[in-house]
Amino acid sequence: MSVTIKLNKIEAAILLGVSVELIDYFTNNCPKSGENKTLPVERTNHGDFFLRDEIIKYSVYLSKPWPKTKSGTRPAIPFAIKEDIKRESNYACAICGHMDNGEVAHIEAVAKTLNNSPENLILLCPNHHSKYDYGYKVANNVTFEEIKAAKIIKQNSRKRMLQYEANATNSLIQLINTINTIDNSMKSETSENIKDIYLNEAKQLLIKIPEITYSALESAKKDSNDTETENIINKSIPILTKSVAEKIQNSHDKEEIRHIMSEVIKQSHEIILDLDEIYCPRCGGKGTTGLVGDLCAYCKGSCYISVEKAEEYDETKIDEVDCPRCYGIGMTGLVGDLCAYCKGSCYISMKKAEEYDETEISEVDCPRCYGKGTTGLMNDLCTYCKGSCYVSAEKAEEYDETKIDEVDCPRCYGKGVTGLVGDLCAYCKGSRYVSAKEADEYDEIKIDEVNCPRCYGKGTTGLMNDLCAYCKGSCYVSAKKAEEYDETKIDEVDCPHCKGRGITGLIGDVCKLCKGKQKVDIKTNTLYIEKYIR
């Protein structure tokens, strides 16, 4: 029996891993061009409420391939999502903290996934982000796993702060607890890159202390009934403010940042001990793990645990490991199908992981796309598996290519490109396949492409197969360009030495003037005539 769980706006933001502002954007706008799916919301006099299951469904929807533009280029990232990614990272590179020229980058290449979900985006400086083709890849000195770790660190920090953003005092406490958690994580981390990522995140949080401190003090002045928590804060705040000097803002010295972080933790130890309640380090305070909301194996759904229990937390002692089928993602394929082994839980027991046998899963690579989820040069979703990558063994056996309404494009013969330089086919636009109806309707004369009048559709000229000077190797040109063709305007004439044959002598030596090209430019022709003929 399913349980309906309602979340307020902040809880929805925490679950989706975005800001409250982006939640508002999703309730009023569909981020995918040409589609109209928004985040369902129940508006009441007491605020907006969301169903947990709807949040999870929307998260899966965002991670499914986004539609390409009409011209076939990769989908654009909406401004609202870009701004949210920048805020998540405090406008600093998630790896090194550099604050200039930050670029919103894809964690997994958009060319492969077409995924513009906030979950797949991160802010990087130019040094940690290089563009290529239709997607992005990170610099060679940072691994994919480290980029993913940086994203999780950023998300966890924001999730912890979101819960208390309406109360400056509690927000300051949670800020200190988060810095303390980062400090503990750094001590057990072995990767130097991830240590730097943690340190950079700690720096960004330390910068916030003076501002939140001021807000907390102002709030305490207005409240005549000081709570015990506020008394603790008021007692400790002056020390904290003094510790976090303005020099942290511009400091790039790792040892200095570590020293300030240690001082803040040491001086605020009283706060942490007196409250003795922080977010569970396993679930980040959500109370659940995975895509289907399994109760957290450490806090059992409480969301909070004691400081002592948090310090004792050892991930290796939890009988949960990443699912070996989906690698802890909870989904497989390009369209976010729940994993057939963990059913979306992301984690499974060690025993179940050891028992995992891929051959026992009734899923095999799709026989049409061979498990890629896409076909063609433009990565169209496979028409058989619909982007799932896998199909059941039964469906694989039933696969009949002749029953798929796709045939090789009659213009490019299923290659997706035409010419010698790989121009996208003018009929299938690179998809390689068209429907049977489109194939029947194909009429070559309706395509605004004709054989190049200079190379007669070969794409090359001369004995050395130089790319044609008019079509540049495309083989085809538009009808208009063909009409405009004027041989006299091409800076090429028959070689005067070989008379345009490309060879000389009785045994066919390659012409020493044109090198077998048969043509030379007008200047070379003029110089040759002046020197040898006149």
Side-chain angles (χ1 to χ4, degrees):
M1 180 179 176
S2 61
V3 179
T4 300
I5 300 177
K6 285 188 177 182
L7 307 175
N8 61 34
K9 193 180 293 184
I10 289 178
E11 291 169 335
I14 290 171
L15 181 57
L16 196 56
V18 299
S19 66
V20 171
E21 290 81 4
L22 201 56
I23 289 290
D24 286 332
Y25 173 78
F26 288 146
T27 59
N28 295 302
N29 305 273
C30 177
K32 296 186 179 183
S33 177
E35 299 184 10
N36 57 12
K37 186 175 179 62
T38 56
L39 180 62
V41 58
E42 178 186 341
R43 304 193 186 279
T44 72
N45 293 333
H46 302 289
D48 295 345
F49 291 92
F50 306 81
L51 296 181
R52 187 187 69 174
D53 289 349
E54 291 293 345
I55 294 286
I56 293 172
K57 287 178 183 177
Y58 204 74
S59 176
V60 172
Y61 167 72
L62 291 174
S63 67
K64 289 181 179 180
W66 289 41
K68 295 178 183 177
T69 63
K70 290 182 180 179
S71 60
T73 57
R74 62 186 178 88
I77 305 171
F79 176 79
I81 293 181
K82 283 186 177 180
E83 283 301 299
D84 192 61
I85 297 302
K86 291 176 183 178
R87 286 196 297 268
E88 174 187 74
S89 201
N90 298 305
Y91 297 89
C93 173
I95 304 299
C96 65
H98 190 72
M99 301 198 69
D100 295 328
N101 305 316
E103 302 170 349
V104 175
H106 290 82
I107 298 172
E108 293 186 351
V110 68
K112 176 184 177 183
T113 65
L114 296 179
N115 181 2
N116 281 343
S117 166
E119 190 73 26
N120 192 42
L121 299 172
I122 192 167
L123 189 70
L124 299 177
C125 67
N127 288 337
H128 287 111
H129 175 207
S130 56
K131 296 181 178 179
Y132 73 104
D133 293 335
Y134 290 94
Y136 296 113
K137 61 183 177 183
V138 295
N140 293 331
N141 62 330
V142 181
T143 67
F144 173 79
E145 289 72 22
E146 288 165 345
I147 288 288
K148 287 289 288 184
K151 178 68 175 179
I152 292 169
I153 291 167
K154 291 291 180 186
Q155 284 181 319
N156 285 346
S157 291
R158 178 150 76 172
K159 287 176 181 179
R160 293 178 178 189
M161 297 302 296
L162 266 174
Q163 187 71 47
Y164 296 103
E165 70 171 11
N167 185 301
T169 300
N170 286 335
S171 184
L172 179 61
I173 295 166
Q174 190 56 38
L175 182 65
I176 295 165
N177 283 333
T178 304
I179 293 171
N180 186 56
T181 301
I182 287 175
D183 183 56
N184 289 332
S185 299
M186 284 178 63
K187 292 174 182 175
S188 59
E189 183 55 56
T190 56
S191 165
E192 289 302 318
N193 274 339
I194 294 181
K195 283 182 181 179
D196 287 345
I197 292 167
Y198 273 125
L199 193 63
N200 169 49
E201 182 64 12
K203 176 184 175 181
Q204 299 302 322
L205 295 175
L206 287 166
I207 289 171
K208 292 182 178 181
I209 285 184
E211 179 188 347
I212 299 179
T213 294
Y214 176 78
S215 298
L217 285 170
E218 289 298 305
S219 176
K221 288 177 184 178
K222 295 175 183 177
D223 190 353
S224 57
N225 299 315
D226 287 354
T227 64
E228 183 180 353
T229 299
E230 286 170 339
N231 287 328
I232 295 169
I233 291 292
N234 290 334
K235 177 182 176 182
S236 304
I237 273 176
I239 302 173
L240 293 178
T241 307
K242 185 178 179 180
S243 297
V244 188
E246 287 185 2
K247 61 183 179 180
I248 188 74
Q249 180 86 38
N250 301 313
S251 176
H252 297 289
D253 186 285
K254 294 179 183 180
E255 290 305 317
E256 183 179 27
I257 297 171
R258 284 196 185 97
H259 174 72
I260 295 173
M261 182 168 65
S262 298
E263 283 299 306
V264 168
I265 293 170
K266 179 181 177 182
Q267 294 173 13
S268 60
H269 194 58
E270 181 181 1
I271 300 174
I272 298 171
L273 289 179
D274 278 46
L275 294 175
D276 199 29
E277 187 178 76
I278 60 173
Y279 274 145
C280 170
R282 180 150 192 88
C283 64
K286 290 193 299 181
T288 60
T289 57
L291 300 180
V292 290
D294 297 307
L295 287 182
C296 172
Y298 199 60
C299 71
K300 312 300 181 186
S302 296
C303 300
Y304 303 98
I305 57 174
S306 67
V307 174
E308 182 182 359
K309 188 171 181 181
E311 290 175 350
E312 292 173 352
Y313 173 66
D314 183 350
E315 186 176 358
T316 61
K317 292 182 179 178
I318 305 290
D319 186 22
E320 280 185 347
V321 294
D322 285 348
C323 170
R325 183 157 190 83
C326 65
Y327 306 105
I329 299 172
M331 303 180 294
T332 56
L334 300 180
V335 290
D337 297 304
L338 287 184
C339 172
Y341 198 59
C342 70
K343 313 299 182 186
S345 293
C346 300
Y347 305 110
I348 57 173
S349 67
M350 294 181 197
K351 181 181 178 182
K352 189 171 181 180
E354 290 171 359
E355 294 172 349
Y356 173 65
D357 183 351
E358 186 175 358
T359 61
E360 293 182 0
I361 304 291
S362 182
E363 277 186 349
V364 295
D365 285 347
C366 171
R368 181 153 191 83
C369 64
Y370 306 106
K372 291 194 301 176
T374 61
T375 57
L377 302 180
M378 301 306 291
N379 291 322
D380 299 301
L381 285 185
C382 171
T383 54
Y384 198 61
C385 70
K386 312 300 182 186
S388 294
C389 299
Y390 304 108
V391 295
S392 66
E394 181 183 0
K395 189 170 180 179
E397 289 176 3
E398 293 173 352
Y399 173 65
D400 183 351
E401 186 174 358
T402 62
K403 292 182 180 179
I404 304 291
D405 186 22
E406 279 185 349
V407 294
D408 285 349
C409 171
R411 182 155 190 84
C412 64
Y413 307 106
K415 293 190 295 179
V417 294
T418 56
L420 302 180
V421 289
D423 297 305
L424 287 183
C425 172
Y427 196 60
C428 70
K429 312 300 182 186
S431 293
R432 300 174 62 183
Y433 305 108
V434 294
S435 67
K437 181 182 178 183
E438 287 174 319
D440 290 338
E441 293 174 348
Y442 172 65
D443 184 350
E444 185 174 358
I445 63 175
K446 290 183 180 179
I447 304 292
D448 186 21
E449 281 185 348
V450 295
N451 284 340
C452 171
R454 183 155 190 84
C455 64
Y456 307 107
K458 291 194 303 175
T460 61
T461 56
L463 299 180
M464 306 305 289
N465 290 322
D466 297 296
L467 287 184
C468 171
Y470 197 60
C471 70
K472 312 301 183 185
S474 293
C475 298
Y476 305 106
V477 294
S478 67
K480 181 181 179 182
K481 189 169 181 179
E483 290 174 3
E484 294 172 348
Y485 173 66
D486 183 351
E487 186 174 0
T488 63
K489 292 182 179 179
I490 305 291
D491 187 19
E492 281 184 349
V493 294
D494 284 346
C495 173
H497 187 59
C498 65
K499 310 303 181 188
R501 293 185 302 152
I503 55 175
T504 58
L506 299 177
I507 57 174
D509 295 311
V510 174
C511 173
K512 289 182 170 53
L513 183 64
C514 69
K515 312 298 184 187
K517 294 182 179 181
Q518 298 181 317
K519 307 285 185 181
V520 294
D521 58 59
I522 295 172
K523 182 179 178 181
T524 300
N525 180 66
T526 302
L527 292 173
Y528 179 85
I529 292 173
E530 288 177 351
K531 185 173 183 179
Y532 295 105
I533 298 178
R534 290 180 182 175

